[in-house]
Every structure is written in C-alpha cells, then in structure tokens.
Amino acid sequence: MNENLLKPGIQEFISNKIDTDIVSFLLKKPFFEGVSNKELAQQIISKKKSKTKLPTWYNTPKIYFPDKLHIEQASSETTAQHKANIVSGKSLVDVTGGFGVDTNFFALKMDVVYHSETHQDLSEIAAYNFEVLGRKNVEVISGDGLSFLRESKLRFDWVYLDPSRRNNQNGKVFFLSDCSPNVTEHLDLLFRKSKNVMIKTSPILDISVGIKELRFVKEIHIVSLKNEVKELLWVLQANFDGEIVVKTVNINQQKIDTFNFRLPEEKRAIPNFTAPQKFLYEPNSAILKSGAFSLVAKRYSLSKLQEHSHLYTSNELKIFPGRKFKIEKVWYYSKKAMKIIDFKKANISVRNFPESVDSLRKRFKILEGGESYLFFTTDVNGEKIIIHCKKA
C-alpha cells in the first residue's frame, strides 16, 4: 500500500477523475510527489468498477482499492448479503478472503470473522478497509487459510471458501478439482474444524458433478442477478444424509423471485404437454440452472410445450418466477413462413431449436429490440415452430 494515496487532496483527485481517459492520463507528467500515475490509474479504474457492484466501498471515503482483477473476482454486495443470510452463530473463517466483500457482510452476522488471504498486499488492503468500514470483529490473517485451520486449536461455526478459478497462466477453470485450493482434497480438514461449510463455485459447474465431488451436501443455492446466474453456493453439513434442498433466487431491482425444492421432487414430477395456449412462460436463469423443468410446471399449474423446450403455457395468466408473454400468433417454421412474417425488429429467443439467435437475425435480417418477441422452439409433436408474443 502507498499511504500517500490516502491524502485528502489525492483522494479528491481520484474521485474527480473517475471518468477520465486512462490512456491519456498515464502519458501525462506525475500529478503528485510520491505517487505514480500508474498507482492513481489503478485507484481510478478499480473505484469506477466498484460503483455499481460495491457501492459501500465506492461511497465510503478513504477506501483503498486493489488491482481491478481483485474487484472483478470479488462478490457483489448483493450476493455477499445473500451469503450472510445463510450463516448463523458466533465464528466464521473466510479461508480465501480476497478483497473482503464476503467477510464484511459475514461480520455483520457473526461475533468474530477470520479473514485469511495469501496475497500479502491484498491482505493489507483488506485489513485497512475493514478499519475504515468499522468492522472491528474481523481478524486478518496474512497467509494460507488452510494452514490457519490446521494450526488453530479452535472450532468454528462456519468455514467459507471461494476457491480461485484461475490457473497458473491466469486462464479460467471451472471444475472443483482445478480450483485453488482444491476443496475436494481438504474436506476432512474442513469438517474437523467446523460442522458447517459453504463453498462458492463457478456458476457453470454442473450440479450433478458438484454433488459427486463433494460430501454431505445439504443445500445448493443458485443466485442470479437480473436473470444472470452469478454464484453457486454449496452448503455442507457434517454427516448430513437427508434430501438435498435446492434454493434458487433471482434478484432484480423491483423484486426477488425464489423457487425452492428437494431434488427428489423433480424426479417425481410429471408435467403435462400441450400446444401453445394463450400465454407463454420462460423460467428465470436460476430455475433453468437448477434443472427443475418438470416441477416448475407442476407448481404453477402450467403445461410444457415439449420435454426439452423448457417453455410453458396456460390459458389463464399466472404468477410466475420468470418472463411472461401473451401469445399473438404461432407459425410452423419454414423459410416461406419467415417471408410472410417479415419482422424488421424483434427480440429473439431459441429453446430446443437447431439455429442460434445470431444466425436467425443474420439470415432473416431482423434487428434487435422492439415490443415483439419471437420464440423459435419445438412443439409437443416435434415440429419446429415460431411463437410471436408480447410481454404480459
């Protein structure tokens, strides 16, 4: 850390330059003694990246920002708050503390939180920011979190890990065994130190693969922001042998949609299949990730268009955790039909259809946008169809 960056005049300068052109900024003569333009640029870039993702840090005076990569890898405040709502008790160890966003919100729920980070500079930055934010119940350990667990004589109410999903070449990895640390190799240690373990994984990790690789999975949380899956959270409880509960949440500015179920419920659910009726429904991304394709139809009294299409229909408008549309017209898909339809602008989606959105746009010269929605999908008889809708 360069403490010169925390001087009032320099902090004001950083805030005033938040929208500056960084390339031209770096080419100018140094603005301040004891601070390079590169250091100033790092603060400006990382602070700007935090504006929406980490508003508490952005709006708090004298926060010290790390390299932009650490901001990109950090949880958002919204998802960190969700994680904090899962835990309870007195003590928690954040084994892979990073910039400290998750730790900050855990500290609002627990008596003491241990933040461990192997990157010494990042550990120092996090410790400083915890003081600025008033998190006096956070103990910062500069070093390996797993080593801290091995050496500590304490037991903790929770252990939390967010393994790094980048390899030695800084490329992204997705499987648990490729992450650092490889949690699958350290489960015995984790359960010796706590009954409750939470692990954050890549949102594209296959749920069935995660269940096989981990042990004692009690809950799986699928967290989406504005219909984009951001996190998979695995809650493990020592010796748990009950049915796994999947909890999906899609967080928007206006509302939060939740859909929870036990895994065997999906296997038991048998949906009805029918042709498109008056209304069409598309589940949010968290539900689609969960694989509850049959159960969502049963829960909301809907019919599916086809086994693999994952679109739903009804004659009466239902409350539904996803997008809802009024069906205007349905066509069988063909080049001739597309000439007759002749949309200049529309929002296009494909479900269980052999062509991509981009190829359809290019081939039929349809611009993006407008009030019309076109779903290219497959019906109950295996026929390719186009459904023209408008938002319900």
Side-chain angles (χ1 to χ4, degrees):
M1 281 180 62
N2 184 349
E3 294 185 4
N4 288 324
L5 285 164
L6 301 171
K7 292 178 178 178
I10 297 179
Q11 285 287 298
E12 184 179 0
F13 178 87
I14 290 168
S15 296
N16 291 337
K17 295 291 184 180
I18 205 74
D19 293 315
T20 196
D21 176 39
I22 295 298
V23 175
S24 60
F25 178 89
L26 287 168
L27 295 174
K28 293 181 179 180
K29 293 180 180 180
F31 292 93
F32 300 99
E33 185 178 348
V35 175
S36 69
N37 285 4
K38 184 178 180 181
E39 289 174 309
L40 285 170
Q42 176 183 296
Q43 293 298 303
I44 292 167
I45 293 169
S46 293
K47 182 168 184 175
K48 186 174 183 177
K49 282 184 172 290
S50 302
K51 186 172 184 178
T52 302
K53 185 177 184 178
L54 305 171
T56 296
W57 280 257
Y58 180 86
N59 292 311
T60 300
K62 289 196 170 184
I63 287 290
Y64 196 105
F65 291 92
D67 181 86
K68 65 177 182 178
L69 178 63
H70 297 303
I71 300 296
E72 292 167 355
Q73 291 177 334
S75 298
S76 67
E77 284 195 31
T78 304
T79 57
Q81 287 171 335
H82 180 81
K83 285 191 279 287
N85 289 334
I86 295 172
V87 303
S88 61
K90 295 183 177 181
S91 61
L92 179 146
V93 179
D94 188 341
V95 175
T96 51
F99 184 48
V101 177
D102 290 323
T103 298
N104 176 76
F105 287 97
F106 287 139
L108 297 175
K109 290 287 297 289
M110 316 295 281
D111 290 350
V112 60
V113 177
Y114 299 86
H115 172 280
S116 180
E117 172 54 46
T118 55
H119 191 294
Q120 187 173 348
D121 287 344
L122 188 57
S123 179
E124 186 180 352
I125 290 169
Y128 164 78
N129 286 335
F130 290 140
E131 289 186 16
V132 174
L133 294 167
R135 301 294 172 258
K136 300 184 184 299
N137 59 331
V138 176
E139 294 194 22
V140 175
I141 296 106
S142 183
D144 179 60
L146 293 175
S147 296
F148 168 73
L149 285 179
R150 288 190 196 94
E151 295 165 8
S152 176
K153 295 180 180 179
L154 301 173
R155 276 184 59 85
F156 307 95
D157 291 312
W158 282 85
V159 172
Y160 170 71
L161 302 93
D162 177 8
S164 173
R165 293 183 288 279
R166 290 186 180 272
N167 58 26
N168 294 332
Q169 290 75 43
N170 209 32
K172 290 185 178 181
V173 297
F174 307 102
F175 293 106
L176 281 169
S177 56
D178 294 329
C179 294
S180 180
N182 178 357
V183 294
T184 61
E185 294 181 343
H186 300 286
L187 289 174
D188 289 338
L189 169 64
L190 300 179
F191 286 125
R192 283 202 306 271
K193 305 308 294 186
S194 179
K195 183 180 179 181
N196 302 296
V197 176
M198 189 194 312
I199 302 168
K200 173 183 168 182
T201 66
S202 166
I204 70 169
L205 178 67
D206 187 286
I207 288 175
S208 63
V209 171
I211 292 172
K212 289 178 182 177
E213 287 194 287
L214 297 170
R215 302 204 310 264
F216 309 132
V217 178
K218 182 181 181 183
E219 296 176 359
I220 304 168
H221 293 245
I222 305 171
V223 184
S224 290
L225 292 182
K226 298 179 182 179
N227 208 32
E228 181 182 354
V229 178
K230 293 292 187 180
E231 296 182 356
L232 285 186
L233 304 173
W234 303 78
V235 176
L236 318 181
Q237 187 179 88
N239 301 315
F240 178 78
D241 63 355
E243 294 180 343
I244 297 173
V245 175
V246 179
K247 298 187 174 185
T248 77
V249 57
N250 184 47
I251 304 169
N252 286 301
Q253 290 180 340
Q254 294 91 352
K255 64 174 183 174
I256 298 176
D257 285 328
T258 60
F259 184 84
N260 304 333
F261 64 98
R262 297 180 185 276
L263 278 181
E265 287 186 89
E266 170 62 19
K267 295 177 182 178
R268 292 193 294 263
I270 302 175
N272 294 318
F273 298 95
T274 188
Q277 299 176 330
K278 292 182 179 179
F279 296 96
L280 188 75
Y281 306 85
E282 182 184 48
N284 65 48
S285 60
I287 294 174
L288 290 172
K289 175 65 181 178
S290 77
F293 306 127
S294 298
L295 186 60
V296 73
K298 180 181 177 181
R299 288 265 185 97
Y300 292 93
S301 301
L302 303 172
S303 296
K304 289 193 73 175
L305 295 190
Q306 202 265 355
E307 182 180 0
H308 302 295
S309 293
H310 309 322
L311 292 170
Y312 304 80
T313 191
S314 69
N315 280 318
E316 295 181 0
L317 185 61
K318 310 273 187 174
I319 296 172
F320 186 75
R323 297 199 296 174
K324 299 175 288 186
F325 302 91
K326 185 178 186 303
I327 296 176
E328 301 289 320
K329 195 168 179 65
V330 180
W331 297 272
Y332 287 109
Y333 174 72
S334 67
K335 291 182 180 179
K336 182 178 179 181
M338 290 303 297
K339 288 180 181 179
I340 296 171
I341 297 168
D342 194 28
F343 278 89
K344 302 299 181 186
K345 181 184 281 190
N347 302 280
I348 297 177
S349 295
V350 295
R351 289 282 175 199
N352 191 22
F353 196 82
E355 293 188 57
S356 69
V357 171
D358 288 342
S359 68
L360 289 168
R361 284 196 185 285
K362 185 176 180 180
R363 191 141 65 90
F364 298 110
K365 299 178 181 178
I366 302 174
L367 298 175
E368 185 176 1
E371 295 183 355
S372 292
Y373 290 79
L374 297 177
F375 282 86
F376 290 75
T377 188
T378 303
D379 70 7
V380 65
N381 297 313
E383 298 284 350
K384 302 293 182 288
I385 59 173
I386 310 155
I387 307 174
H388 173 214
C389 310
K390 291 191 176 178
K391 278 194 172 181

